Structures are given as C-alpha cells and as structure tokens.
C-alpha cells in the first residue's frame, strides 16, 4: 500500500490526503518530522509530505498530486481545458504560498508550539499573518462567482479547491476566523469545501488527535 510520510497537521500533507481520498486510493500515513537527517534521502528539501509507492519516493504536494493524476486520472483533479488547467495550477501555487503564510502561523503559534512542543507563541508572527490576510482573502473573494461553490475553476472541483481548502483548516485549528461579513463568498465556499467527505473526515480526525 502507498505511504504518505508526514504529520496530519501539515496543510501540505492534508492536501495530498484529500487528493488521495477524492481518487479513492488507499494509503497509510507514516508520521515523520520534517527537517530530520534520516528523511533527507527521500526529500533533499527535508520537507513533508513525501508519497512512497513500491519504494519510489515522490516529494512535494503539488508534484505528488500531478503524479497521482497520471497514475489514476479519474476523478480528474486537473481541469481538462488548457486555460482552466493553468488557472488551477496558479491558484494551487497561490494557496501554497501567500494563503499559507496568512493562515499556517495560527496553528503553529497557537497549537503546535504551546501544546505539542512546549514553547511560547511568537506573537509577532501572528500579527504578520493577520496583516497578510486582507489582500489574500480579497483576491480569493474576487475569484469566486455565484456558481463556483463546488469548484473555484469553472464550478468543478479541482486541485485548486484542495489547495485553498487546506490552509483554512489550519486557520480554524489555530482559532483564526474568516469574517463572513467581509468575505461572504469565500466563507460560503470554504464551508461547502469543508463539508465534502474528503475534507470532513480529515478535519474530524485531526480534531480528535488534538484532543489527545
Ligand atoms: N512545497 C512543499 C512545501 C512543504 C512544506 O513546507 N512542508 C512543511 C511542513 S507544513 C515542512 O516540511 N517544513 C519543514 C522545513 O521547512 O524544514 C509542498 O507542497 O509539499
């Protein structure tokens, strides 16, 4: 059975797990902490996730999902239309960078450091993330139309939705709030995304692991 190396609170690990669930591919999650030397042969960047299939290691969430798309094309996560494909990949990149910068510190500073690592939260990092949210959430709000709740690209679920949905789980786990009055479309879109079985199952599993 394929293995996902990583820990469940990582939004990038979550991305791959949602994609695997959407494609109906069974896998095992093997906990590994990033940045460890023993992990380096599998990923010279020493980052999680790594996907391993019969001893073949694929590092990086976007690379893994592109690989899965070739291995098991249905249901598709990359839009078939060339321009929608480009748009989806750009939103994936945007979510993995700008959106992650604006959300991930909430779970790192409010949960992982104090509860799991026994450290104090870096309040400046939280302020920086909070300040980054306005333009990022405005941009995502502007990309949503009235019929795109099920998929930000053409109303069809794709890798862009997985990539955007995952950092918002981290925001919520860390006590951050998405203001539905200021970003009504985005708030509704995230609610719909997180109610998909692929997201819902992981959100519940991660909440249970945080409760201990
Ligand atoms: N672009 C990578 C990013 C992965 C990433 O940054 N993972 C974090 C955990 S959430 C990590 O391993 N950080 C360890 C480090 O930066 O040394 C992907 O999409 O997989």
């Amino acid at each position: 059975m394929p293995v996902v190396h990583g820990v469940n609170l990582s939004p990038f690990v979550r991305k791959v797990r949602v994609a695997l669930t959407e494609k109906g591919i069974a896998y095992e999650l093997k906990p590994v902490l990033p940045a460890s030397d023993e992990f380096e042969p599998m990923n010279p960047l020493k980052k999680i996730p790594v996907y391993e299939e019969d001893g073949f290691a694929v590092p990086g969430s976007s690379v893994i999902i592109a690989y899965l798309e070739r291995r098991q094309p249905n249901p598709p996560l990359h839009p078939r239309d060339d321009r929608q494909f480009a748009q989806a990949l750009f939103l994936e990149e945007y979510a993995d960078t700008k959106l992650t910068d604006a959300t991930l510190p909430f779970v790192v500073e409010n949960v992982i450091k104090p509860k799991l690592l026994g450290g104090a939260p870096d309040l400046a990092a939280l302020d920086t993330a909070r300040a980054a949210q306005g333009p990022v959430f405005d941009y995502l709000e502007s990309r949503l139309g009235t019929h795109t709740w099920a998929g930000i690209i053409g109303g069809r679920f794709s890798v862009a939705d997985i990539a955007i949905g995952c950092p918002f789980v981290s925001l919520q786990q860390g006590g951050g709030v998405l203001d539905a009055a200021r970003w009504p479309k985005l708030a509704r879109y995230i609610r719909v995304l997180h109610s998909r079985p692929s997201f819902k199952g992981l959100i519940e599993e991660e909440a249970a692991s945080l409760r201990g």
Side-chain angles (χ1 to χ4, degrees):
M1 181 182 292
V3 176
V4 175
H5 296 269
V7 289
N8 69 357
L9 294 182
S10 157
F12 299 103
V13 171
R14 188 178 301 124
K15 231 180 111 184
V16 168
R17 297 181 77 197
V18 170
L20 284 162
T21 306
E22 290 284 345
K23 284 187 176 288
I25 301 173
Y27 67 92
E28 180 192 344
L29 178 68
K30 227 180 207 169
V32 62
L33 287 176
S36 61
D37 287 340
E38 81 217 56
F39 188 53
E40 197 174 357
M42 273 206 269
N43 184 355
L45 299 174
K46 297 192 193 179
K47 293 185 182 201
I48 55 171
V50 167
Y51 181 72
E52 190 185 352
E53 194 188 65
D54 301 327
F56 179 65
V58 186
S61 63
S62 304
V63 179
I64 296 167
I65 293 174
Y67 175 75
L68 294 175
E69 195 72 359
R70 300 283 288 259
R71 299 285 288 162
Q72 184 157 319
N74 287 310
L77 295 176
H78 284 170
R80 298 279 189 245
D81 175 84
D82 291 350
R83 292 185 175 186
Q84 291 192 344
F85 171 72
Q87 289 173 325
L89 259 51
F90 174 71
L91 281 177
E92 179 180 22
E93 175 64 16
Y94 187 81
D96 285 357
T97 52
K98 286 274 186 199
L99 177 59
T100 298
D101 291 347
T103 51
L104 186 58
F106 280 79
V107 73
V108 171
E109 304 303 333
N110 288 335
V111 178
I112 296 177
K113 277 195 191 166
K115 294 197 181 142
L116 304 179
L117 301 178
D122 177 347
L123 299 180
L126 282 170
D127 284 344
T128 303
R130 212 172 279 112
Q133 286 177 356
V136 173
F137 293 179
D138 283 349
Y139 172 67
L140 293 175
E141 179 85 7
S142 78
R143 295 299 312 262
L144 286 160
T146 44
H147 300 293
T148 48
W149 313 123
I152 194 164
I153 303 294
R156 300 189 102 172
F157 187 77
S158 76
V159 69
D161 305 300
I162 297 179
I164 294 167
C166 286
F168 278 101
V169 177
S170 303
L171 179 72
Q172 289 164 6
Q173 285 170 337
V177 176
L178 169 59
D179 182 352
R182 186 166 167 199
W183 296 288
K185 290 185 198 167
L186 184 58
R188 177 170 174 188
Y189 165 70
I190 295 299
R191 237 188 357 263
V192 171
L193 272 186
H194 287 183
S195 66
R196 284 180 81 87
S198 55
F199 268 100
K200 199 163 180 278
L202 286 185
I203 290 169
E204 287 168 1
E205 179 211 288
E206 292 179 36
S209 80
L210 283 173
R211 283 193 298 272

